[in-house]
Amino acid sequence: MQLIFVVNKIYQALEKGNEIRAVFLDISKAFDKVWHKGLLAKLKSIGINGPLLQWFESYLTERYQRVTIEGMSSDWAHIEAGVPQGSVLGPLLFLIYINDIADVSSTCFLFADDSLLLDEVISPIDTANRLNNDLDSTSMWADRWLVTMNANKTKNMIFSSKLNKPLHPTLTLAHEPIDIVDQHDHLGVTLTNKLSWRPHILKIHQKASKKLNLLKPMKFKLGKKPLEILYKSVVRSCLEYADVVWDGCCDADRDLLESLQFEAARLITGALKGTHRESLLNETGWFTLKARRNAHKLFMMYKIVNNLTPPYLSELRPDNVSSRSNRSLRANDNLIVPFARTKRYKKSFYISSVNLWNSLSATICSSRSIAIFKNSVTRLHKFVAPNPLYYIGDRLPAILHTRLRLSNSTLNYDLYLKNCVSSSFCACRFPKETTAHFFFDCDRYAAIRNTLLTSAASLLGAAWSGAGKGTHLKWLLCGVGNVSIDTNINLFLSVQKFIIDSGRFTRSSP
């Protein structure tokens, strides 16, 4: 939420032709350097007294720690400062300790030990004076409360779209000059001085690619469901962190991330390269990352409209159209889209989210809860849950089954369509080795085919005997819609046994 507000503030300044100067403060070993007596004094200043204050004093003091590795332990060390990390109270106590650092004239943003000073530049000299005064105040605050501000790691950045940039006076912290940088990571998002998202996209793409590569050796060792859980929790979470902030990136950047998701879909399903992306989405039941980002923006907009966010976000909510018109219009309940001169600002969170919000029906916008709203938005995207049958069976036969279902297997006809082989002939000399030919016609599999078709007829009864070959093939590949899940599971296991017993997809097969 802080990132949304900060980036929107930068967008607005650039839209007006102004610049924004930011200082990213670095506190050395922030959680480990909290002065216990100072923290107790601050707790007392906010109204904590008596036994409760004594309890906090007992909680903080006379703590010891040691390291144990393979049964061997170090000596006990007395902890003289810091809040207990990994505890429920630790973050809260740190926030109480650092909260009054924000008493400055420029805009200050705090998130744990990440501190940011921000000032819109009308006059470079005035802005530098304000920020230097704030930095002096911050330095004095740090000295008073025994906090170490690291001037070498503290950076400042000038966000600007001007061709002829003015000179900006030097900023100093503890009499040390602060370096000016072109990009900086703040709260996990890479910000650049031109507000280009390319460096951030490349960073998360590289990070997610490394994580996805860790799953590749597990492709044939884990089932589809565990692989899918690992992808969503480890890889996709990386691709989507703060995605509402940087969704204004260019199409090439979006495509780069989508390609990684499709690579993950191939890994999880076992599909071969060249499989149509739409087929992969249907197989997995996934949305595109772009569709998910749009949904995330709508969820955040719902919170903003319904005052479920901090005031600094909710106060930015645009008025309704009805506030500027006395006429009865269909669009009266819509939000007024802020004016945007540049394409960059039009793609920012607030403007793009308002447009998405206005595209929804009044019924969805007035949902009674965020849960109901999310369900309604999900239904709008025509989400189709993945077929539970696609998780059935051992890993290898399930993969081969999937490839046949996706019409992208190692059958000669599929390979011929991709120009991987010069002929589509089957080894039995039939002109096209298609999926239907493999299941129903190739004379090399007559014996095991009889077992498969007998099993299917026994499971499905009159429905099987009354259907044609095209329907039979669909059932063998995708399951039957009007029978029990147990019947479908038995059918799928019979199909996968046929695939393995055929030997067609082993390396030694023709």
Side-chain angles (χ1 to χ4, degrees), residues 3 187-189 200-201 203-205 207-208 211 231-247 257-258 260-261 286-297 299-300:
L3 282 166
L187 299 180
V189 172
H200 180 72
I201 299 299
K203 182 189 75 173
I204 62 173
H205 181 268
K207 185 177 179 181
K211 292 183 176 183
Y231 164 71
K232 290 180 178 179
S233 59
V234 176
V235 182
R236 193 172 71 183
S237 59
C238 175
L239 294 172
E240 294 188 331
Y241 171 73
D243 57 357
V244 298
V245 176
W246 50 260
D247 189 41
L257 300 184
E258 294 289 358
L260 192 62
Q261 168 155 277
W286 296 351
F287 290 139
T288 63
L289 295 177
K290 174 61 180 174
R292 287 178 58 82
R293 288 194 296 272
N294 283 342
H296 295 161
K297 287 195 284 189
F299 301 159
M300 183 60 71

Side-chain angles (χ1 to χ4, degrees), residues 301-445:
M301 204 65 199
Y302 178 90
K303 294 178 182 178
I304 291 171
V305 168
N306 290 279
N307 297 313
L308 301 176
T309 59
Y312 63 80
L313 276 189
S314 297
E315 288 169 2
L316 292 178
R317 175 193 182 277
D319 293 330
N320 290 90
V321 172
S322 58
S323 67
R324 294 190 181 179
S325 174
N326 295 322
R327 298 180 181 180
S328 178
L329 303 173
R330 286 187 299 174
N332 270 354
D333 292 331
N334 285 356
L335 299 177
I336 297 171
V337 181
F339 173 76
R341 178 177 53 86
T342 61
K343 183 178 180 181
R344 173 177 53 200
Y345 189 38
K346 289 178 183 177
K347 294 165 70 175
S348 69
F349 167 78
Y350 261 101
I351 295 183
S352 62
S353 297
V354 168
N355 282 319
L356 287 170
W357 180 267
N358 289 343
S359 70
L360 300 176
S361 68
T363 302
I364 294 177
C365 290
S366 58
S367 298
R368 296 193 306 275
S369 69
I370 184 67
I372 295 173
F373 181 78
K374 286 182 175 182
N375 288 334
S376 300
V377 171
T378 301
R379 285 197 299 272
L380 273 182
H381 283 80
K382 300 179 180 178
F383 172 72
V384 178
N387 191 328
L389 295 173
Y390 296 170
Y391 297 91
I392 297 301
D394 293 333
R395 183 60 174 160
L396 179 59
I399 285 177
L400 298 175
H401 197 178
T402 298
R403 291 174 179 176
L404 291 168
R405 182 166 53 247
L406 295 173
S407 301
N408 190 21
S409 68
T410 54
L411 293 176
N412 286 337
Y413 182 71
D414 292 341
L415 295 175
Y416 177 75
L417 292 178
K418 297 193 296 181
N419 296 316
C420 294
V421 296
S422 59
S423 169
S424 64
F425 270 75
C426 179
C428 71
R429 304 313 300 162
F430 187 78
K432 292 182 180 180
E433 190 189 22
T434 62
T435 304
H437 174 75
F438 168 71
F439 275 112
F440 300 117
D441 299 317
C442 185
D443 55 20
R444 294 181 297 162
Y445 316 122

Side-chain angles (χ1 to χ4, degrees), residues 219-224 268-271 283 389-406 409-410 438-439 476-477 489 491-506:
K219 179 176 180 179
F220 292 101
K221 296 179 181 178
L222 293 179
K224 182 180 177 182
I268 291 165
T269 61
E283 182 76 15
L389 295 173
Y390 296 170
Y391 297 91
I392 297 301
D394 293 333
R395 183 60 174 160
L396 179 59
I399 285 177
L400 298 175
H401 197 178
T402 298
R403 291 174 179 176
L404 291 168
R405 182 166 53 247
L406 295 173
S409 68
T410 54
F438 168 71
F439 275 112
L476 295 180
L477 294 176
I489 289 173
L491 177 64
F492 260 48
L493 293 176
S494 296
V495 171
Q496 292 173 11
K497 185 177 187 305
F498 170 81
I499 293 171
I500 293 298
D501 291 347
S502 73
R504 173 61 184 85
F505 303 100
T506 61

Side-chain angles (χ1 to χ4, degrees), residues 238-277:
C238 175
L239 294 172
E240 294 188 331
Y241 171 73
D243 57 357
V244 298
V245 176
W246 50 260
D247 189 41
C249 62
C250 66
D251 291 341
D253 291 339
R254 294 192 185 106
D255 292 342
L256 186 65
L257 300 184
E258 294 289 358
S259 66
L260 192 62
Q261 168 155 277
F262 285 114
E263 184 181 346
R266 286 197 302 271
L267 184 151
I268 291 165
T269 61
L272 296 172
K273 287 186 177 181
T275 303
H276 292 298
R277 291 188 169 189

